[in-house]
Amino acid sequence: MSGTPGEVAILGAGMHPWGKWGHSFVRYGTIAARAALDDAGLDWRQVDSLVGADTVRGGYPGYVAGATFARALGWQGARVTSVYAACASGAQAIGTARAQILAGLADVVLVVGADAAPKGFFAPAGGDRPDDPDWLRFRLLGATNPAYFGLYARRRMAEYGDTPDDFALVKVKNAAAGALNPRARYRRTVTAEDVAASAVVADPLRLLDICATSDGAAALVLSSMEFARRHGAAAPVRIRAVSTVTPDYPRTVLDLPDIATDSAAAVDPSPVPFRTSIARAAYEEAGVGPGDLSLAEVYDLSTALELEWYEDIGLCPAGEGAKLVREGATALGGRIPVNPSGGLASFGEAVPAQAIAQVCELTWQLRGTAGERQVPGARVGITANQGLFGHGSAVVAVR
């Protein structure tokens, strides 16, 4: 029961359903936190530390999410930490909580992320911000997120021969899984014809190829393995690795929000691209590989980006992601289900909560409590995600 060095137990997982509810992110996060505590069988007063993933659009309280959620739950003296890493904020929050537990600073840590997202695509912070690369790519290029996703899709079409029909299959697969998930925002199946009939947003991507922006929240209760044993959790799901790596210089592939690459004239590029390095670091820390996986939760901002993640996490060689989805290998019932939760295609983006929600899904799958979307015999899962400004995000959980 002592576990592998570096492991921490997941005692509780909780979420607020995704949607457009019109309430404060604090409300969503508090509900998710209480659900995670109930799942763990713990009282909030037993928590030693709270790590909050920041909600930058939520006004001043959003920038101090740890204290915001501690106050909402009721001051009880716990230490607090607030983190921001764009879409990787949840993974950094999990990594911070894990570090506190392994350092002996806390036995029980609550991790919370929540958002109340604006309608439409995300825009940069207001005002003139010429030192902000996110502001620059909007101002100089008009490169909204959907435009960027479309460029990624075009590159796959040019390099690998992927087609819009391949991209549509990703949406069909994820919608089928999301229809089985009571926490998902979109809970209806979709056909390839539905995707093809939806409006073009950023050619070749259509409306149903791109995820929405959503309200939602997710929370985890993490503990030391010793506390889990004392608490009566004989065989908890464990987090074995958290990867929050940054890119290697030089970067020779454009990556949002950058609008130029580094020069490779004097320094050779790394043989391992950034996104591949995110998962690789997690595998190395966990002592597992792609062949050990039972499932994966990846960051499907668009259908084409999900195909890229198949390659980045080692499920297939570069250029063969579309082959996997055509074969049904990544669907529920397939060889290696990807996004059995329904993914962002079914949830939409609630930025600080996303990486935490991915680990919630791993938890339920590894416990065998995922209901109709259960992956049989799930033992090892990985999440993969990426935040602006070079933030990696991957978590390996095992049972």
Side-chain angles (χ1 to χ4, degrees), residues 38-124:
D38 287 345
D39 187 44
L42 291 173
D43 185 273
W44 158 235
R45 288 167 293 186
Q46 293 174 269
V47 172
D48 302 313
S49 177
L50 189 155
V51 184
D54 287 349
T55 305
V56 298
R57 289 172 305 280
Y60 181 71
Y63 287 92
V64 287
T68 297
F69 291 122
R71 179 176 182 270
L73 290 165
W75 295 125
Q76 49 87 314
R79 71 169 71 216
V80 295
T81 310
S82 299
V83 301
Y84 180 68
C87 295
S89 297
Q92 289 213 358
I94 292 168
T96 299
R98 177 172 174 252
Q100 291 179 358
I101 292 167
L102 296 178
L105 299 175
D107 278 332
V108 181
V109 183
L110 175 63
V111 180
V112 188
D115 203 2
K119 185 177 180 180
F121 56 73
F122 293 123

Side-chain angles (χ1 to χ4, degrees), residues 121 144-150 167 171 186 195 198-213 300-304 344-346 348-349:
F121 56 73
T144 64
N145 289 11
Y148 175 75
F149 306 153
F167 304 150
K171 175 66 176 185
Y186 301 105
V195 179
S198 64
V200 174
V201 175
D203 187 65
L205 299 180
R206 295 179 176 270
L207 184 64
L208 293 184
D209 283 303
I210 298 171
C211 76
T213 60
D300 59 315
L301 290 166
S302 80
T303 50
L344 296 184
S346 299
E349 283 194 272

Side-chain angles (χ1 to χ4, degrees), residues 169-186:
L169 289 177
V170 176
K171 175 66 176 185
V172 172
K173 170 189 74 74
N174 288 349
L180 304 176
N181 192 336
R183 299 173 181 87
R185 176 178 179 182
Y186 301 105

Side-chain angles (χ1 to χ4, degrees), residues 101-256:
I101 292 167
L102 296 178
L105 299 175
D107 278 332
V108 181
V109 183
L110 175 63
V111 180
V112 188
D115 203 2
K119 185 177 180 180
F121 56 73
F122 293 123
D128 287 339
R129 303 166 61 86
D131 58 345
D132 177 351
D134 205 28
W135 181 88
L136 287 171
R137 55 114 175 176
F138 277 82
R139 183 68 173 262
L140 298 181
L141 300 183
T144 64
N145 289 11
Y148 175 75
F149 306 153
L151 292 171
Y152 245 109
R154 277 286 167 201
R155 187 171 72 184
R156 288 197 64 84
M157 294 171 72
E159 289 191 345
Y160 305 131
D162 289 4
T163 69
D165 291 340
D166 294 325
F167 304 150
L169 289 177
V170 176
K171 175 66 176 185
V172 172
K173 170 189 74 74
N174 288 349
L180 304 176
N181 192 336
R183 299 173 181 87
R185 176 178 179 182
Y186 301 105
R187 298 195 58 203
R188 69 176 182 89
T189 58
V190 168
T191 66
E193 291 74 21
D194 292 332
V195 179
S198 64
V200 174
V201 175
D203 187 65
L205 299 180
R206 295 179 176 270
L207 184 64
L208 293 184
D209 283 303
I210 298 171
C211 76
T213 60
S214 291
D215 298 355
L220 294 165
V221 176
L222 307 181
S223 81
S224 66
M225 296 302 293
E226 175 60 22
F227 180 92
R229 182 190 64 78
R230 296 197 311 267
H231 186 58
V237 173
R238 289 109 62 204
I239 290 176
R240 186 173 283 178
V242 181
S243 169
T244 58
V245 297
T246 54
D248 286 318
Y249 179 87
R251 300 192 71 182
T252 55
V253 176
L254 278 175
D255 202 4
L256 185 131

Side-chain angles (χ1 to χ4, degrees), residues 298-386:
V298 305
Y299 192 41
D300 59 315
L301 290 166
S302 80
T303 50
L305 283 173
E306 177 167 323
L307 298 182
E308 195 117 342
W309 277 117
Y310 296 172
E311 299 156 15
D312 293 328
I313 67 175
L315 301 185
C316 62
E320 295 188 13
K323 182 172 181 284
L324 284 189
V325 78
R326 287 184 211 128
E327 295 171 348
T330 56
L332 287 174
R335 175 172 59 82
I336 174 67
V338 177
N339 287 337
S341 67
L344 296 184
S346 299
F347 278 78
E349 283 194 272
V351 171
Q354 288 160 196
I356 302 170
Q358 289 180 320
V359 178
C360 287
E361 181 66 18
L362 291 194
T363 302
W364 295 318
Q365 290 285 351
L366 296 175
R367 286 177 179 174
T369 60
E372 293 180 274
R373 65 185 191 281
Q374 179 65 49
V375 176
R379 304 295 297 179
V380 180
I382 191 171
T383 69
N385 189 316
Q386 180 186 353

